[in-house]
C-alpha cells in the first residue's frame, strides 16, 4: 500500500514561523512534524510514500531525499500552484498511475493513526473509504461529519456550532 502525504500549503496561520521554514519541517520534539507521520506510516508497514509539496519544496526534498535514511521510499509531486486536496490527489493518482487503495494523510497533523487497523477494516467491510475523525469544539472552522451509526453520510462545511451535525471533523 502507498501513502500520499499532502504537505504543500503555505502555513499562513503559523507565521512568522513559516516565513523561513515550511510547516511540515517545523520541529516537534527535535523532529520535523512530517517526520513523525512518516515514522508512523513505516511502523504500520507503509514504506512507499508520495509527498505532495509546494511551498519551500526544495527544503523538504533536501531533508528527506529518497527516504532511505528513514527506511522508506519517498517520491515527490511538486505543486507549482496550490491544487487543494482533491486537485492534489487527482494529480498524484494520474502522474503515478495509482489504481489501488492508498492512505491519504495530512502533512500537518500529528497523530498516531493505526494504518494497519484501518486497512483491515477497509478489507473486512469491503469499504469504499475508511476515514479517521477527530472531535473539535470549534466546528465553525471545519467540515463537520454527518453520521448514521458508524457511517459518514456527508459533511457540513463550517456550520454554526448549534447547527453542526456532530463535533467530528476529518482527521
Amino acid at each position: 500500500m502507498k501513502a500520499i502525504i499532502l504537505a504543500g500549503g503555505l502555513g499562513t496561520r503559523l507565521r512568522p514561523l513559516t516565513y523561513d521554514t515550511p510547516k511540515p519541517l517545523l520541529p516537534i520534539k527535535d523532529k520535523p512534524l512530517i517526520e513523525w507521520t512518516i515514522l508512523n506510516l513505516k511502523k504500520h508497514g507503509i514504506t512507499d510514500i508520495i509527498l505532495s509539496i509546494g511551498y519551500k519544496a526544495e527544503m523538504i526534498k533536501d531533508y528527506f531525499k529518497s527516504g532511505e535514511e528513514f527506511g522508506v521510499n519517498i517520491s515527490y509531486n511538486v505543486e507549482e500552484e496550490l491544487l487543494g486536496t482533491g486537485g492534489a490527489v487527482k494529480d498524484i493518482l494520474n502522474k503515478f498511475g495509482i489504481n489501488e487503495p492508498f492512505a491519504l494523510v495530512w502533512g500537518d497533523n500529528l497523530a498516531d493513526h493505526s494504518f494497519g487497523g484501518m486497512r483491515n477494516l477497509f478489507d473486512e467491510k469491503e469499504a469504499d473509504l475508511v476515514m479517521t475523525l477527530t472531535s473539535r469544539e470549534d466546528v465553525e472552522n471545519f467540515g463537520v461529519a454527518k453520521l448514521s451509526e458508524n457511517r459518514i453520510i456527508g459533511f457540513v462545511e463550517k456550520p454554526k456550532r448549534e447547527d453542526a451535525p456532530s463535533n467530528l471533523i476529518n482527521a
Side-chain angles (χ1 to χ4, degrees):
M1 175 188 264
K2 294 183 187 311
I4 298 170
I5 302 177
L6 299 180
L10 300 173
T12 56
R13 289 179 290 187
L14 288 176
R15 286 189 177 153
L17 298 174
T18 55
Y19 281 132
D20 296 322
T21 305
K23 184 165 52 169
L25 292 183
L26 290 175
I28 306 287
K29 290 187 77 176
D30 299 324
K31 286 187 175 109
L33 172 61
I34 197 170
E35 185 175 339
W36 292 105
T37 300
I38 290 169
L39 293 173
N40 188 38
L41 287 164
K42 179 184 170 191
K43 178 173 84 174
H44 291 279
I46 301 173
T47 58
D48 197 1
I49 299 168
I50 300 166
L51 291 183
S52 181
I53 54 178
Y55 179 65
K56 298 198 177 286
E58 288 306 314
M59 288 180 73
I60 295 170
K61 290 168 96 174
D62 287 346
Y63 185 86
F64 288 107
K65 299 177 178 54
S66 70
E68 183 178 3
E69 179 183 330
F70 303 92
V72 298
N73 176 45
I74 297 177
S75 301
Y76 297 93
N77 189 56
V78 179
E79 295 180 35
E80 299 302 327
E81 59 183 65
L82 293 177
L83 301 173
T85 301
V89 172
K90 183 177 179 183
D91 191 42
I92 289 168
L93 296 179
N94 291 334
K95 284 182 181 173
F96 289 85
I98 299 171
N99 58 9
E100 74 259 6
F102 60 91
L104 176 63
V105 186
W106 275 234
D108 60 358
N109 282 2
L110 184 61
D112 188 18
H113 296 298
S114 174
F115 293 105
M118 291 173 67
R119 177 60 194 250
N120 290 341
L121 182 63
F122 177 84
D123 291 339
E124 176 186 309
K125 300 289 184 182
E126 297 180 359
D128 293 325
L129 174 76
V130 173
M131 179 182 291
T132 60
L133 301 173
T134 189
S135 61
R136 291 294 297 242
E137 294 307 315
D138 59 337
V139 295
E140 305 88 351
N141 299 309
F142 301 95
V144 180
K146 185 175 181 181
L147 304 172
S148 175
E149 296 180 15
N150 65 346
R151 291 182 148 327
I152 299 168
I153 58 172
F155 281 90
V156 177
E157 189 62 31
K158 299 179 182 173
K160 292 180 183 172
R161 194 174 299 200
E162 60 273 12
D163 297 333
S166 72
N167 70 333
L168 300 172
I169 66 165
N170 177 2

mmCIF file of all heavy atoms in Angstrom, residues 22-60:
data_model
loop_
_atom_site.group_PDB
_atom_site.id
_atom_site.type_symbol
_atom_site.label_atom_id
_atom_site.label_comp_id
_atom_site.label_asym_id
_atom_site.label_seq_id
_atom_site.Cartn_x
_atom_site.Cartn_y
_atom_site.Cartn_z
ATOM 1 N N PRO A 22 9.006 25.623 5.900
ATOM 2 C CA PRO A 22 7.664 25.132 5.573
ATOM 3 C C PRO A 22 7.071 24.396 6.779
ATOM 4 O O PRO A 22 7.806 23.758 7.546
ATOM 5 C CB PRO A 22 7.907 24.180 4.400
ATOM 6 C CG PRO A 22 9.330 23.766 4.516
ATOM 7 C CD PRO A 22 10.054 24.918 5.163
ATOM 8 N N LYS A 23 5.765 24.498 6.930
ATOM 9 C CA LYS A 23 5.089 23.920 8.092
ATOM 10 C C LYS A 23 5.472 22.457 8.342
ATOM 11 O O LYS A 23 5.702 22.084 9.491
ATOM 12 C CB LYS A 23 3.577 24.080 7.949
ATOM 13 C CG LYS A 23 2.807 23.587 9.155
ATOM 14 C CD LYS A 23 1.368 24.039 9.229
ATOM 15 C CE LYS A 23 0.571 23.784 8.011
ATOM 16 N NZ LYS A 23 -0.887 24.015 8.232
ATOM 17 N N PRO A 24 5.579 21.596 7.319
ATOM 18 C CA PRO A 24 5.931 20.204 7.594
ATOM 19 C C PRO A 24 7.295 20.018 8.254
ATOM 20 O O PRO A 24 7.550 18.989 8.867
ATOM 21 C CB PRO A 24 5.932 19.549 6.207
ATOM 22 C CG PRO A 24 5.073 20.422 5.371
ATOM 23 C CD PRO A 24 5.260 21.810 5.911
ATOM 24 N N LEU A 25 8.181 20.992 8.136
ATOM 25 C CA LEU A 25 9.508 20.885 8.743
ATOM 26 C C LEU A 25 9.617 21.572 10.099
ATOM 27 O O LEU A 25 10.696 21.559 10.706
ATOM 28 C CB LEU A 25 10.580 21.429 7.793
ATOM 29 C CG LEU A 25 10.827 20.627 6.521
ATOM 30 C CD1 LEU A 25 11.968 21.249 5.712
ATOM 31 C CD2 LEU A 25 11.097 19.161 6.803
ATOM 32 N N LEU A 26 8.524 22.156 10.590
ATOM 33 C CA LEU A 26 8.580 22.762 11.925
ATOM 34 C C LEU A 26 8.822 21.656 12.948
ATOM 35 O O LEU A 26 8.233 20.579 12.876
ATOM 36 C CB LEU A 26 7.289 23.505 12.239
ATOM 37 C CG LEU A 26 7.058 24.785 11.437
ATOM 38 C CD1 LEU A 26 5.689 25.376 11.751
ATOM 39 C CD2 LEU A 26 8.156 25.809 11.693
ATOM 40 N N PRO A 27 9.720 21.904 13.913
ATOM 41 C CA PRO A 27 10.112 20.832 14.838
ATOM 42 C C PRO A 27 9.086 20.570 15.941
ATOM 43 O O PRO A 27 8.507 21.482 16.509
ATOM 44 C CB PRO A 27 11.417 21.361 15.432
ATOM 45 C CG PRO A 27 11.314 22.850 15.322
ATOM 46 C CD PRO A 27 10.491 23.132 14.101
ATOM 47 N N ILE A 28 8.918 19.280 16.204
ATOM 48 C CA ILE A 28 8.147 18.784 17.345
ATOM 49 C C ILE A 28 9.064 17.773 18.036
ATOM 50 O O ILE A 28 9.400 16.741 17.445
ATOM 51 C CB ILE A 28 6.834 18.077 16.919
ATOM 52 C CG1 ILE A 28 5.966 18.956 16.029
ATOM 53 C CG2 ILE A 28 6.090 17.540 18.126
ATOM 54 C CD1 ILE A 28 5.268 20.084 16.738
ATOM 55 N N LYS A 29 9.494 18.064 19.242
ATOM 56 C CA LYS A 29 10.416 17.190 19.977
ATOM 57 C C LYS A 29 11.612 16.784 19.114
ATOM 58 O O LYS A 29 11.905 15.608 18.942
ATOM 59 C CB LYS A 29 9.685 15.963 20.517
ATOM 60 C CG LYS A 29 8.714 16.298 21.644
ATOM 61 C CD LYS A 29 8.153 15.049 22.264
ATOM 62 C CE LYS A 29 9.217 14.480 23.166
ATOM 63 N NZ LYS A 29 8.787 13.306 23.910
ATOM 64 N N ASP A 30 12.285 17.752 18.563
ATOM 65 C CA ASP A 30 13.536 17.567 17.826
ATOM 66 C C ASP A 30 13.412 16.851 16.487
ATOM 67 O O ASP A 30 14.414 16.449 15.909
ATOM 68 C CB ASP A 30 14.585 16.842 18.686
ATOM 69 C CG ASP A 30 14.943 17.632 19.935
ATOM 70 O OD1 ASP A 30 14.976 18.877 19.849
ATOM 71 O OD2 ASP A 30 15.174 17.019 20.983
ATOM 72 N N LYS A 31 12.177 16.680 15.977
ATOM 73 C CA LYS A 31 11.973 16.113 14.647
ATOM 74 C C LYS A 31 10.952 16.975 13.925
ATOM 75 O O LYS A 31 10.019 17.477 14.530
ATOM 76 C CB LYS A 31 11.399 14.689 14.727
ATOM 77 C CG LYS A 31 12.370 13.638 15.152
ATOM 78 C CD LYS A 31 11.715 12.270 15.027
ATOM 79 C CE LYS A 31 12.711 11.210 15.332
ATOM 80 N NZ LYS A 31 12.530 10.516 16.554
ATOM 81 N N PRO A 32 11.096 17.103 12.612
ATOM 82 C CA PRO A 32 10.066 17.819 11.862
ATOM 83 C C PRO A 32 8.710 17.118 11.990
ATOM 84 O O PRO A 32 8.638 15.886 12.057
ATOM 85 C CB PRO A 32 10.562 17.749 10.418
ATOM 86 C CG PRO A 32 12.034 17.564 10.522
ATOM 87 C CD PRO A 32 12.226 16.714 11.760
ATOM 88 N N LEU A 33 7.673 17.912 12.025
ATOM 89 C CA LEU A 33 6.308 17.403 12.160
ATOM 90 C C LEU A 33 6.034 16.251 11.200
ATOM 91 O O LEU A 33 5.538 15.198 11.592
ATOM 92 C CB LEU A 33 5.330 18.562 11.907
ATOM 93 C CG LEU A 33 3.853 18.252 11.800
ATOM 94 C CD1 LEU A 33 3.333 17.634 13.086
ATOM 95 C CD2 LEU A 33 3.084 19.522 11.477
ATOM 96 N N ILE A 34 6.364 16.414 9.945
ATOM 97 C CA ILE A 34 6.052 15.402 8.945
ATOM 98 C C ILE A 34 6.885 14.125 9.136
ATOM 99 O O ILE A 34 6.466 13.038 8.733
ATOM 100 C CB ILE A 34 6.188 15.966 7.520
ATOM 101 C CG1 ILE A 34 5.475 15.061 6.514
ATOM 102 C CG2 ILE A 34 7.631 16.198 7.158
ATOM 103 C CD1 ILE A 34 5.359 15.683 5.135
ATOM 104 N N GLU A 35 8.029 14.230 9.774
ATOM 105 C CA GLU A 35 8.827 13.027 10.038
ATOM 106 C C GLU A 35 8.070 12.079 10.961
ATOM 107 O O GLU A 35 8.132 10.855 10.799
ATOM 108 C CB GLU A 35 10.188 13.401 10.630
ATOM 109 C CG GLU A 35 11.096 12.201 10.809
ATOM 110 C CD GLU A 35 12.500 12.574 11.278
ATOM 111 O OE1 GLU A 35 12.926 13.735 11.094
ATOM 112 O OE2 GLU A 35 13.182 11.683 11.813
ATOM 113 N N TRP A 36 7.348 12.614 11.931
ATOM 114 C CA TRP A 36 6.545 11.769 12.828
ATOM 115 C C TRP A 36 5.504 10.991 12.023
ATOM 116 O O TRP A 36 5.248 9.808 12.280
ATOM 117 C CB TRP A 36 5.874 12.609 13.915
ATOM 118 C CG TRP A 36 6.851 13.191 14.891
ATOM 119 C CD1 TRP A 36 7.278 14.486 14.968
ATOM 120 C CD2 TRP A 36 7.547 12.487 15.916
ATOM 121 N NE1 TRP A 36 8.187 14.624 15.973
ATOM 122 C CE2 TRP A 36 8.369 13.413 16.588
ATOM 123 C CE3 TRP A 36 7.544 11.156 16.342
ATOM 124 C CZ2 TRP A 36 9.182 13.053 17.658
ATOM 125 C CZ3 TRP A 36 8.363 10.798 17.412
ATOM 126 C CH2 TRP A 36 9.171 11.743 18.057
ATOM 127 N N THR A 37 4.917 11.641 11.036
ATOM 128 C CA THR A 37 3.921 10.977 10.186
ATOM 129 C C THR A 37 4.578 9.863 9.378
ATOM 130 O O THR A 37 4.045 8.749 9.283
ATOM 131 C CB THR A 37 3.266 12.006 9.245
ATOM 132 O OG1 THR A 37 2.626 13.004 10.046
ATOM 133 C CG2 THR A 37 2.256 11.352 8.327
ATOM 134 N N ILE A 38 5.728 10.142 8.813
ATOM 135 C CA ILE A 38 6.442 9.138 8.019
ATOM 136 C C ILE A 38 6.830 7.949 8.895
ATOM 137 O O ILE A 38 6.665 6.782 8.490
ATOM 138 C CB ILE A 38 7.659 9.774 7.329
ATOM 139 C CG1 ILE A 38 7.171 10.716 6.219
ATOM 140 C CG2 ILE A 38 8.619 8.717 6.795
ATOM 141 C CD1 ILE A 38 8.235 11.613 5.624
ATOM 142 N N LEU A 39 7.299 8.202 10.102
ATOM 143 C CA LEU A 39 7.674 7.111 11.003
ATOM 144 C C LEU A 39 6.455 6.285 11.417
ATOM 145 O O LEU A 39 6.552 5.064 11.572
ATOM 146 C CB LEU A 39 8.401 7.664 12.231
ATOM 147 C CG LEU A 39 9.772 8.293 11.936
ATOM 148 C CD1 LEU A 39 10.337 8.954 13.184
ATOM 149 C CD2 LEU A 39 10.735 7.272 11.356
ATOM 150 N N ASN A 40 5.309 6.929 11.574
ATOM 151 C CA ASN A 40 4.087 6.193 11.913
ATOM 152 C C ASN A 40 3.660 5.308 10.740
ATOM 153 O O ASN A 40 3.260 4.161 10.935
ATOM 154 C CB ASN A 40 2.968 7.150 12.315
ATOM 155 C CG ASN A 40 1.755 6.417 12.854
ATOM 156 O OD1 ASN A 40 1.877 5.423 13.557
ATOM 157 N ND2 ASN A 40 0.582 6.898 12.520
ATOM 158 N N LEU A 41 3.736 5.834 9.534
ATOM 159 C CA LEU A 41 3.412 5.016 8.365
ATOM 160 C C LEU A 41 4.338 3.802 8.314
ATOM 161 O O LEU A 41 3.889 2.667 8.112
ATOM 162 C CB LEU A 41 3.540 5.841 7.083
ATOM 163 C CG LEU A 41 2.441 6.867 6.843
ATOM 164 C CD1 LEU A 41 2.868 7.874 5.790
ATOM 165 C CD2 LEU A 41 1.136 6.191 6.452
ATOM 166 N N LYS A 42 5.624 4.029 8.507
ATOM 167 C CA LYS A 42 6.601 2.934 8.485
ATOM 168 C C LYS A 42 6.265 1.888 9.550
ATOM 169 O O LYS A 42 6.342 0.684 9.294
ATOM 170 C CB LYS A 42 8.001 3.499 8.690
ATOM 171 C CG LYS A 42 9.076 2.426 8.701
ATOM 172 C CD LYS A 42 10.424 3.034 8.997
ATOM 173 C CE LYS A 42 11.436 1.921 9.251
ATOM 174 N NZ LYS A 42 12.675 2.457 9.795
ATOM 175 N N LYS A 43 5.901 2.349 10.735
ATOM 176 C CA LYS A 43 5.554 1.439 11.830
ATOM 177 C C LYS A 43 4.431 0.483 11.420
ATOM 178 O O LYS A 43 4.371 -0.651 11.865
ATOM 179 C CB LYS A 43 5.146 2.259 13.063
ATOM 180 C CG LYS A 43 4.714 1.430 14.264
ATOM 181 C CD LYS A 43 4.481 2.302 15.485
ATOM 182 C CE LYS A 43 3.095 2.884 15.478
ATOM 183 N NZ LYS A 43 2.772 3.622 16.710
ATOM 184 N N HIS A 44 3.546 0.950 10.546
ATOM 185 C CA HIS A 44 2.412 0.142 10.091
ATOM 186 C C HIS A 44 2.673 -0.506 8.737
ATOM 187 O O HIS A 44 1.750 -0.958 8.067
ATOM 188 C CB HIS A 44 1.153 1.001 10.071
ATOM 189 C CG HIS A 44 0.687 1.366 11.445
ATOM 190 N ND1 HIS A 44 -0.041 0.515 12.241
ATOM 191 C CD2 HIS A 44 0.904 2.471 12.193
ATOM 192 C CE1 HIS A 44 -0.279 1.080 13.402
ATOM 193 N NE2 HIS A 44 0.294 2.276 13.398
ATOM 194 N N GLY A 45 3.939 -0.546 8.334
ATOM 195 C CA GLY A 45 4.316 -1.277 7.130
ATOM 196 C C GLY A 45 4.100 -0.535 5.826
ATOM 197 O O GLY A 45 4.195 -1.122 4.752
ATOM 198 N N ILE A 46 3.819 0.758 5.895
ATOM 199 C CA ILE A 46 3.640 1.561 4.681
ATOM 200 C C ILE A 46 4.932 2.327 4.448
ATOM 201 O O ILE A 46 5.260 3.262 5.179
ATOM 202 C CB ILE A 46 2.435 2.514 4.806
ATOM 203 C CG1 ILE A 46 1.156 1.716 5.076
ATOM 204 C CG2 ILE A 46 2.292 3.363 3.542
ATOM 205 C CD1 ILE A 46 -0.054 2.564 5.387
ATOM 206 N N THR A 47 5.685 1.880 3.439
ATOM 207 C CA THR A 47 7.005 2.463 3.203
ATOM 208 C C THR A 47 7.139 3.118 1.832
ATOM 209 O O THR A 47 8.186 3.675 1.533
ATOM 210 C CB THR A 47 8.097 1.381 3.362
ATOM 211 O OG1 THR A 47 7.837 0.320 2.447
ATOM 212 C CG2 THR A 47 8.140 0.846 4.792
ATOM 213 N N ASP A 48 6.114 3.040 1.013
ATOM 214 C CA ASP A 48 6.128 3.685 -0.301
ATOM 215 C C ASP A 48 5.286 4.955 -0.192
ATOM 216 O O ASP A 48 4.049 4.889 -0.135
ATOM 217 C CB ASP A 48 5.572 2.740 -1.353
ATOM 218 C CG ASP A 48 5.918 3.162 -2.764
ATOM 219 O OD1 ASP A 48 6.616 4.188 -2.929
ATOM 220 O OD2 ASP A 48 5.473 2.488 -3.708
ATOM 221 N N ILE A 49 5.943 6.101 -0.127
ATOM 222 C CA ILE A 49 5.288 7.363 0.231
ATOM 223 C C ILE A 49 5.494 8.397 -0.866
ATOM 224 O O ILE A 49 6.605 8.570 -1.377
ATOM 225 C CB ILE A 49 5.858 7.896 1.570
ATOM 226 C CG1 ILE A 49 5.581 6.868 2.693
ATOM 227 C CG2 ILE A 49 5.289 9.264 1.908
ATOM 228 C CD1 ILE A 49 6.332 7.144 3.975
ATOM 229 N N ILE A 50 4.414 9.093 -1.194
ATOM 230 C CA ILE A 50 4.476 10.219 -2.128
ATOM 231 C C ILE A 50 4.176 11.487 -1.330
ATOM 232 O O ILE A 50 3.109 11.586 -0.710
ATOM 233 C CB ILE A 50 3.462 10.055 -3.274
ATOM 234 C CG1 ILE A 50 3.747 8.773 -4.050
ATOM 235 C CG2 ILE A 50 3.495 11.283 -4.189
ATOM 236 C CD1 ILE A 50 2.624 8.350 -4.963
ATOM 237 N N LEU A 51 5.110 12.415 -1.342
ATOM 238 C CA LEU A 51 4.892 13.700 -0.681
ATOM 239 C C LEU A 51 4.419 14.698 -1.722
ATOM 240 O O LEU A 51 5.089 14.929 -2.725
ATOM 241 C CB LEU A 51 6.177 14.224 -0.042
ATOM 242 C CG LEU A 51 6.732 13.483 1.157
ATOM 243 C CD1 LEU A 51 7.967 14.197 1.681
ATOM 244 C CD2 LEU A 51 5.692 13.370 2.243
ATOM 245 N N SER A 52 3.253 15.288 -1.469
ATOM 246 C CA SER A 52 2.751 16.367 -2.305
ATOM 247 C C SER A 52 3.182 17.663 -1.642
ATOM 248 O O SER A 52 2.718 18.004 -0.548
ATOM 249 C CB SER A 52 1.228 16.287 -2.411
ATOM 250 O OG SER A 52 0.750 17.324 -3.232
ATOM 251 N N ILE A 53 4.114 18.360 -2.292
ATOM 252 C CA ILE A 53 4.714 19.543 -1.681
ATOM 253 C C ILE A 53 4.619 20.725 -2.629
ATOM 254 O O ILE A 53 4.425 20.569 -3.823
ATOM 255 C CB ILE A 53 6.176 19.277 -1.272
ATOM 256 C CG1 ILE A 53 7.000 18.766 -2.452
ATOM 257 C CG2 ILE A 53 6.223 18.282 -0.114
ATOM 258 C CD1 ILE A 53 8.465 18.515 -2.150
ATOM 259 N N GLY A 54 4.745 21.902 -2.064
ATOM 260 C CA GLY A 54 4.695 23.119 -2.865
ATOM 261 C C GLY A 54 5.590 24.173 -2.255
ATOM 262 O O GLY A 54 6.722 24.382 -2.674
ATOM 263 N N TYR A 55 5.109 24.802 -1.195
ATOM 264 C CA TYR A 55 5.828 25.892 -0.542
ATOM 265 C C TYR A 55 7.159 25.389 0.011
ATOM 266 O O TYR A 55 7.208 24.436 0.777
ATOM 267 C CB TYR A 55 4.958 26.467 0.574
ATOM 268 C CG TYR A 55 5.588 27.594 1.355
ATOM 269 C CD1 TYR A 55 5.878 28.804 0.740
ATOM 270 C CD2 TYR A 55 5.867 27.450 2.706
ATOM 271 C CE1 TYR A 55 6.441 29.846 1.462
ATOM 272 C CE2 TYR A 55 6.421 28.484 3.437
ATOM 273 C CZ TYR A 55 6.715 29.679 2.812
ATOM 274 O OH TYR A 55 7.272 30.713 3.517
ATOM 275 N N LYS A 56 8.244 26.033 -0.426
ATOM 276 C CA LYS A 56 9.601 25.690 0.007
ATOM 277 C C LYS A 56 9.884 24.196 -0.192
ATOM 278 O O LYS A 56 10.493 23.520 0.643
ATOM 279 C CB LYS A 56 9.843 26.129 1.439
ATOM 280 C CG LYS A 56 9.718 27.652 1.598
ATOM 281 C CD LYS A 56 10.362 28.128 2.865
ATOM 282 C CE LYS A 56 10.291 29.631 2.973
ATOM 283 N NZ LYS A 56 11.199 30.349 2.098
ATOM 284 N N ALA A 57 9.441 23.697 -1.344
ATOM 285 C CA ALA A 57 9.556 22.266 -1.665
ATOM 286 C C ALA A 57 10.997 21.769 -1.585
ATOM 287 O O ALA A 57 11.237 20.645 -1.124
ATOM 288 C CB ALA A 57 8.987 22.009 -3.063
ATOM 289 N N GLU A 58 11.947 22.577 -2.016
ATOM 290 C CA GLU A 58 13.342 22.129 -2.027
ATOM 291 C C GLU A 58 13.859 21.832 -0.626
ATOM 292 O O GLU A 58 14.669 20.922 -0.436
ATOM 293 C CB GLU A 58 14.240 23.146 -2.736
ATOM 294 C CG GLU A 58 14.047 23.195 -4.239
ATOM 295 C CD GLU A 58 14.190 21.830 -4.918
ATOM 296 O OE1 GLU A 58 15.155 21.094 -4.613
ATOM 297 O OE2 GLU A 58 13.327 21.502 -5.755
ATOM 298 N N MET A 59 13.391 22.574 0.373
ATOM 299 C CA MET A 59 13.816 22.311 1.751
ATOM 300 C C MET A 59 13.340 20.924 2.191
ATOM 301 O O MET A 59 14.078 20.194 2.868
ATOM 302 C CB MET A 59 13.276 23.389 2.697
ATOM 303 C CG MET A 59 13.947 24.723 2.561
ATOM 304 S SD MET A 59 13.255 25.961 3.700
ATOM 305 C CE MET A 59 13.932 25.378 5.260
ATOM 306 N N ILE A 60 12.116 20.568 1.824
ATOM 307 C CA ILE A 60 11.573 19.264 2.197
ATOM 308 C C ILE A 60 12.326 18.156 1.460
ATOM 309 O O ILE A 60 12.720 17.144 2.060
ATOM 310 C CB ILE A 60 10.056 19.224 1.914
ATOM 311 C CG1 ILE A 60 9.341 20.234 2.817
ATOM 312 C CG2 ILE A 60 9.502 17.810 2.123
ATOM 313 C CD1 ILE A 60 7.883 20.471 2.483
#
